[in-house]
Amino acid sequence: MFIEILAAAGSTAPQSAFGFWESMQQGGVIAWSVLVILAIMSVSSFYILFSKLFEQSKVMKQGATARASFWKANSMKEGAAKLDKNSAYRQIVDDGIKAEEDHARLTDPVEAHDWLHGSLNRSQGLINSKLATGLPWLATVGATSPFIGLFGTVIGIYRALIKIGIAGQASIDAVAGPVGEALIMTALGLGVAVPAVLAYNWLQGRNKRIAEDLSDFSNDVLGYISSDGAVRPSAMKAAPAKPAAAATAKPAVKK
């Protein structure tokens, strides 16, 4: 009889699952909507991260090529021919050559240095602007995804309080689902925000280094054009002179 009573009690005991999918199912449309929005934000953030890393690496490689080969040429056009057509550095050189040609056609006299400087700055600005595309979205994701997760958290806590009110007591079986859903939403919001913020800061730092390199190259191009080729950076630094080898033979001893 005692065994039968235990078996009956075990058969009527509430059986509840408290996993991730069970918590999301209890959350309903709001929980799934928050999950989908955060998933879209996360996927787009990683897409921007990897695409920008590829683009930045390409520009850095173009800079190394320009420093190695461009300044060895005898003229700007010859040096431009050595660079890739889609190179950011080729764009600066082409815009400098075009600005020099356009200055001769101006009817209103403008200082050649100011005209060339403005044209090269505009070219450099377009390149920097292209490199910065997508970064505002990373900043937006990093700033808003915690609050989107917090929205799901608030709804989960609200549902838990409703269940407590209906049941009349705060039993674990009644509130575990909504509270679990609330914690999951908080974790998801932070999990999306942190990589986005780290990616934004990292890409911004790399863009700053590229912008400095482009600015140096642009100034060198300006100096080359303004001096008619007389001023140019050295293509390669002279190797330091090796110290004279010490004599290995012992001096002869006079007898």
Side-chain angles (χ1 to χ4, degrees), residues 79-156:
K82 295 182 178 181
L83 303 177
D84 183 34
K85 289 184 178 181
N86 297 323
S87 170
Y89 293 82
R90 171 71 178 268
Q91 178 180 333
I92 290 177
V93 175
D94 288 343
D95 289 344
I97 294 174
K98 186 175 186 303
E100 183 182 21
E101 296 173 350
D102 291 343
H103 181 263
R105 303 188 184 98
L106 296 178
T107 55
D108 187 17
V110 178
E111 182 66 29
H113 181 273
D114 294 338
W115 174 259
L116 291 172
H117 188 267
S119 299
L120 292 174
N121 275 347
R122 182 170 60 251
S123 178
Q124 182 183 341
L126 291 175
I127 297 171
N128 291 333
S129 177
K130 182 180 179 181
L131 289 173
T133 56
L135 298 189
W137 174 249
L138 290 180
T140 301
V141 171
T144 60
S145 56
F147 296 101
I148 295 175
L150 183 61
F151 174 73
T153 301
V154 171
I155 298 300

Side-chain angles (χ1 to χ4, degrees), residues 15 35 38 56 70 82 92 120 159 176 193 205 214 227 249:
Q15 300 293 328
L35 178 64
L38 291 176
Q56 289 175 342
F70 177 77
K82 295 182 178 181
I92 290 177
L120 292 174
R159 291 179 60 253
L214 288 172
S227 64

Side-chain angles (χ1 to χ4, degrees), residues 5 9 21 29 39 51 60 63 66 80 96 109 130 134 139 143-144 147 160-162 179 189-191 233-234 237-238:
I5 293 174
W21 297 113
V29 177
S51 62
M60 289 178 177
K130 182 180 179 181
T144 60
F147 296 101
L161 294 175
I162 292 178
V179 171
L190 294 175
S234 57
K237 294 182 179 179

